[in-house]
Amino acid sequence: MSASRTELPRWQFEFTWSLFEYHLERLEPGDFLWEPAEHCWTMRRGPDGTWIPDWADTEPDPVPVPTLGWVSWHIGWWWSVTLDHAQGRPPRDRADVVWPGEGAPTVEWLRGLRTQWLKVLDDLTDEDLDATAPFPWPNDPGHTVEHMVAWVNAELMKNVSEIGQLRLLRAASV
C-alpha cells in the first residue's frame, strides 16, 4: 500500500519529465522561433524588448500552429499560474509571465518550474488532495487538488509531445 496518494502522479510526472529532458538537452536556439507553417503563433519582441506571445481570447479557426518558443512560453504560463494557486499566492496575469528567450534561458526556466512543482507535490497531504481545486477550474467543488495534479501531468505530456514533434520536424527540414 502506498504511503501517499501523490506517489503515482509524481511517478507519472517524473516519467513525462524524462521524456521532456530528451528534447530539452537537444534544443538549439534556432529551434525556438522556427515557424513550421505559414499560419502560426510565435513569440515577438515588444517595444520594450520583452517577448510577447501571439494570443487571442477566442481560439481562432483554424488554430494557428505554435512555434516551439510559443509552446515553451505556454508551459511557463500555465505552470506559473498553477504554482501560484498551489502555493496560495495571487495568480499572475498571463501578460506578467515573461518568456526568457531562445535557448538555455528558457530551458533553465522550465527546469526551475519543475523544481518548484516537485516541492508542491512533496508537501501535499491527502487532505490537501481532497480540497477543491483553485485552478484550472476555479473553485468548482467537482474538481479537487488531486484533479489539478493530474491536469498538470496531462498538460505537460501534451506540451512535451508538441515540443518533441516541432524539434524533429525542424531537424528534418534543415
Side-chain angles (χ1 to χ4, degrees), residues 3-148:
S4 168
R5 289 179 11 222
T6 61
E7 287 180 20
L8 181 58
R10 184 178 175 138
W11 175 87
Q12 185 182 47
F13 171 81
E14 291 285 24
F15 180 70
T16 301
W17 189 265
S18 71
L19 299 172
F20 198 16
E21 275 296 335
Y22 175 83
H23 295 294
L24 288 176
E25 292 169 358
R26 290 160 178 79
L27 288 176
E28 299 174 7
D31 292 334
F32 286 82
L33 298 178
W34 173 72
E35 296 187 2
E38 187 175 318
H39 182 59
C40 72
W41 273 354
T42 192
M43 303 301 295
R44 302 181 196 281
R45 289 268 187 197
D48 64 355
T50 60
W51 291 98
I52 300 170
D54 290 333
W55 187 261
D57 289 326
T58 303
E59 192 167 78
D61 185 18
V63 175
V65 177
T67 62
L68 195 150
W70 191 94
V71 176
S72 65
W73 164 81
H74 178 72
I75 294 170
W77 166 55
W78 63 254
W79 215 351
S80 294
V81 173
T82 303
L83 283 162
D84 289 342
H85 283 284
Q87 295 173 329
R89 297 186 302 249
R92 283 167 258 199
D93 184 71
R94 175 178 38 83
D96 294 332
V97 177
V98 178
W99 187 64
E102 305 116 307
T106 290
V107 171
E108 291 310 309
W109 178 49
L110 296 171
R111 287 179 175 147
L113 291 170
R114 172 189 176 265
T115 299
Q116 292 176 56
W117 184 244
L118 289 174
K119 173 82 170 96
V120 166
L121 291 177
D122 287 344
D123 292 345
L124 288 173
T125 65
D126 288 354
E127 185 177 329
D128 294 332
L129 291 169
D130 292 333
T132 300
F135 185 77
W137 313 274
N139 300 313
D140 174 354
H143 292 95
T144 64
V145 170
E146 191 168 32
H147 288 102
M148 183 178 74

Side-chain angles (χ1 to χ4, degrees), residues 20 71 74-75 78 154-164:
F20 198 16
V71 176
H74 178 72
I75 294 170
W78 63 254
E155 189 71 18
L156 185 62
M157 280 183 242
K158 175 185 74 78
N159 290 153
V160 166
S161 67
E162 291 170 332
I163 284 177

